[in-house]
Amino acid sequence: MAQLSEAQLKEIQELELVISQDMFQRASNVCLKKCIPPNGNITELSKNEAVCIDKCIAKYLEIQEVSSKKLASLQQEEMAKYEAINQAGQAPK
């Protein structure tokens, strides 16, 4: 398997940060809309609103974790297939 350069690793880390920030922003927006009434006061949350937001964010993070694990698994499978094909192409005839 090819090694990634330092620049490639840095680019991947920056992309992961952007994705994480985007995911958090989306979760915040969805959960605020779900848990705070349109005429609600966002400066002071009720206990129910705070619990709702906490549970909503936890679900969002759980789904993101499950999705990330599945994606990583699929990527490993594809990499294994690619390496097997690549090695078969290099076998002596």
Side-chain angles (χ1 to χ4, degrees), residues 63-73 75:
I63 289 169
Q64 193 271 337
E65 182 181 355
V66 168
S67 298
S68 293
K69 286 180 180 179
K70 181 65 176 174
L71 180 59
S73 174
Q75 287 173 333

Side-chain angles (χ1 to χ4, degrees), residues 2-74:
Q3 295 293 321
L4 297 175
S5 71
E6 196 170 315
Q8 289 171 319
L9 288 174
K10 183 174 174 140
E11 187 175 330
I12 289 169
Q13 289 171 340
E14 289 173 357
L15 182 59
E16 287 175 346
L17 179 61
V18 168
I19 290 169
S20 294
Q21 289 171 335
D22 180 62
M23 189 271 310
F24 180 77
Q25 185 64 42
R26 288 173 189 252
S28 297
N29 290 338
V30 167
C31 293
L32 285 175
K33 285 180 184 176
K34 176 183 177 201
C35 298
I36 310 281
N39 59 350
N41 182 0
I42 197 164
T43 58
E44 291 186 38
L45 297 176
S46 71
K47 183 176 180 178
N48 288 341
E49 291 168 338
V51 168
C52 178
I53 291 171
D54 185 49
K55 288 181 178 180
C56 182
I57 294 289
K59 283 183 183 179
Y60 214 92
L61 292 174
E62 183 180 343
I63 289 169
Q64 193 271 337
E65 182 181 355
V66 168
S67 298
S68 293
K69 286 180 180 179
K70 181 65 176 174
L71 180 59
S73 174
L74 291 172

